Amino acid sequence: MWTPERGSVSAQAAADYVEGYLAEDEPLLMARRNAADVGGAPPVSPATGAALRFIAAALNARSVVEIGTGCGTSGIWLLRGMRADGVLTSVDVDPEHQRLARKAFTEAGFAANRYRLIGGKAEDVLPRLTDGGYDMVFCDADKHDYPSYLTAALRLLRAGGVVAFDNALWGGRVATPSCTDPETSAIREVVEAVRQDDRLVPLLLPLGDGLLAAVRR
């Protein structure tokens, strides 16, 4: 089994370096401050956001679904990676979060026609979206529902599209067999399902709280 070489530099120092590699500008920092103020919508880490932008850019993404708008941090990263005429469809149950996300998108310079914010539960909204009509689906909402998000993503994605899940490590609990609470179990179920599904090419990245991504064949 492969194991990393151990040097004098700590793993935490390396992680901090990765997270600080690409500095966030004022619109992103504002979105983070708003998330801290209202609570209930922890934003993706800077490195996770950079990875989302990278994936969206690599896909030349025109249509992206985001499950869990939060206060706009991940949405800004995604929009910055998408093509200039791309549209982000973002779903969230909290109208205050979406109000702040809209403010953040405006601050970041995105016109209103670049995003579509839909209020409501993902289980009610996602069935209304077009089969095979999306380049990417990013999931960062209720962890209990991660398995159902995966099912929806497989329907929504075109061939070659990417599904991604934030919090795939869940503070290390996913990798700890003794942790069997409902949220951890749901995330672990998705991590395993993605690994075992022949329709997907998976990758688990130790960025932020863990980013699980997979290409749909």
Side-chain angles (χ1 to χ4, degrees):
M1 184 178 75
W2 178 86
T3 56
E5 293 183 5
R6 299 296 180 183
S8 58
V9 178
S10 71
Q12 186 59 55
D16 291 344
Y17 180 81
V18 170
E19 290 295 338
Y21 177 64
L22 296 172
E24 293 188 317
D25 59 5
E26 182 54 31
L28 284 165
L29 295 175
M30 183 191 76
R32 289 191 182 281
R33 290 194 297 268
N34 288 337
D37 288 343
V38 300
V44 299
S45 78
T48 300
L52 296 176
R53 182 181 64 173
F54 179 91
I55 294 168
L59 291 169
N60 195 29
R62 175 183 288 174
S63 298
V64 174
V65 175
E66 178 183 47
I67 305 171
T69 308
C71 295
T73 304
S74 53
I76 292 174
W77 280 110
L78 286 164
L79 283 163
R80 286 178 173 174
M82 296 168 65
R83 52 192 290 172
D85 62 346
V87 176
L88 173 69
T89 298
S90 190
V91 182
D92 202 291
V93 296
D94 192 317
E96 177 64 6
H97 289 165
Q98 290 201 322
R99 183 188 72 81
L100 292 170
R102 183 177 287 106
K103 181 179 178 182
F105 296 160
T106 300
E107 181 70 18
F110 295 109
N113 64 356
R114 290 293 314 280
Y115 53 88
R116 179 173 57 152
L117 302 181
I118 303 176
K121 295 181 179 179
E123 63 192 54
D124 298 325
V125 175
L126 297 179
R128 307 202 302 264
L129 303 183
T130 304
D131 292 10
Y134 297 89
D135 303 298
M136 183 176 178
V137 177
F138 174 56
C139 308
D140 189 17
D142 191 337
K143 310 312 171 192
H144 298 94
D145 292 332
Y146 267 27
S148 65
Y149 299 161
L150 175 60
T151 299
L154 288 170
R155 177 181 62 81
L156 294 171
L157 286 172
R158 64 166 174 82
V162 171
V163 60
F165 293 84
D166 192 28
N167 306 116
L169 296 176
W170 204 226
R173 291 186 287 276
V174 169
T176 306
S178 60
C179 293
T180 58
D181 61 276
E183 289 183 322
T184 301
S185 297
I187 298 170
R188 188 180 290 127
E189 178 183 338
V190 163
V191 170
E192 289 303 313
V194 167
R195 178 162 61 178
Q196 298 297 330
D197 195 321
D198 291 339
R199 295 170 293 179
L200 297 172
V201 180
L203 177 66
L204 181 57
L205 297 169
L207 302 174
D209 195 27
L211 181 68
L212 175 67
V215 179
R216 196 191 196 295
R217 294 183 186 274

